[in-house]
Amino acid sequence: EAFAGFTMNLEQRSQWDPSIAEVYERYPIKDLDAANVVMGFGKYGDCNRLGVGYCRTKSYLAVSGREQLTLCGIQNFPDGSCIIWGTEMEDWHNHLLPARPRLTRAKSHLFSTTLVPTSDNTFDVEYCLQIDIGGNIPSWITTPILLETIKKQFRHAKGYFAGKGKESGVYGYIAQKKKEAMKDKMEKRISILMTP
């Protein structure tokens, strides 16, 4: 969850993404039991987090501001690895976007970050992003911008997870999300697995 918090926390993200204007979980999905049933009870890991996120960027270099509405989740596996994933919602979900003038939609066809522990305090990361920036900008212009932003993310993450970021907002973000999860304990939940 720390890597997802690092990506979803505006304070942290703005340190490596010069175009970010807004990023947050717009519609959290609370019934993770139902999500795990649909995903086959651990076949694809244990769904630890699921929701619809919103991201808005400001103009940066040759690219004007964009927005995204993405279904995202975190899948945990018994060996300690996890996959943070996302895919863009369809245009017919536009009613879920904030009520404001629309920007060009960038569409992440697939986003995933796979983290695999290599020791008690190290991990390997595999990053995948298949994105259509939208609009009429040729990919030979946008690809170098995307690549440099992703490189900045990993340079920042390397220092951050080496201990330089422990006083920053991402740890507070994670603590807040854990408190919210505690409010939703199993004995207070009504789900398809536990009926009243």
Side-chain angles (χ1 to χ4, degrees):
E1 182 129 355
F3 203 91
F6 162 72
T7 304
M8 290 294 296
N9 179 282
L10 182 60
E11 174 193 338
Q12 283 301 310
R13 180 129 172 211
S14 63
Q15 292 184 39
W16 57 265
D17 185 352
S19 69
I20 195 67
E22 193 174 8
V23 60
Y24 63 94
E25 185 176 31
R26 187 155 172 79
Y27 301 102
I29 297 171
K30 300 286 187 188
D31 193 351
L32 298 178
D33 296 330
N36 279 307
V37 167
V38 171
M39 291 182 208
F41 292 112
K43 183 177 179 182
Y44 303 104
D46 179 39
C47 183
N48 178 33
R49 185 109 183 246
L50 187 63
V52 176
Y54 177 73
C55 179
R56 181 175 57 85
T57 62
K58 53 192 172 198
S59 295
Y60 180 68
L61 299 176
V63 182
S64 62
R66 300 287 195 259
E67 65 183 347
Q68 291 185 266
L69 188 69
T70 312
L71 177 65
C72 301
I74 301 174
Q75 307 298 121
N76 290 327
F77 294 88
D79 66 355
S81 61
C82 75
I83 298 175
I84 303 163
W85 60 271
T87 188
E88 192 71 23
M89 304 289 285
E90 298 294 332
D91 288 338
W92 54 273
H93 293 113
N94 282 354
H95 66 282
L96 299 173
L97 289 163
R100 62 169 63 131
R102 297 279 58 90
L103 298 174
T104 301
R105 286 276 298 273
K107 296 197 176 186
S108 293
H109 302 292
L110 174 64
F111 159 77
S112 70
T113 303
T114 303
L115 300 123
V116 179
T118 54
S119 74
D120 287 342
N121 56 3
T122 61
F123 56 90
D124 284 339
V125 179
E126 180 180 294
Y127 185 89
C128 173
L129 177 63
Q130 296 174 351
I131 190 168
D132 177 2
I133 292 294
N136 296 317
I137 303 171
S139 62
W140 61 268
I141 293 176
T142 59
T143 299
I145 297 169
L146 286 170
L147 288 174
E148 186 53 33
T149 301
I150 293 165
K151 287 177 185 177
K152 286 179 183 177
Q153 175 188 17
F154 281 96
R155 283 192 294 266
H156 182 72
K158 185 177 181 179
Y160 186 87
F161 287 107
K164 294 179 182 174
K166 291 196 176 185
E167 299 302 316
S168 71
V170 79
Y171 287 92
Y173 174 85
I174 293 166
Q176 174 191 351
K177 291 299 174 187
K178 285 181 179 178
K179 281 183 187 176
E180 289 172 10
M182 289 302 292
K183 290 181 183 176
D184 191 31
K185 288 184 180 181
M186 286 298 289
E187 64 266 17
K188 294 182 181 176
R189 289 171 54 178
I190 298 172
S191 76
I192 63 172
L193 296 180
M194 300 180 71
T195 58

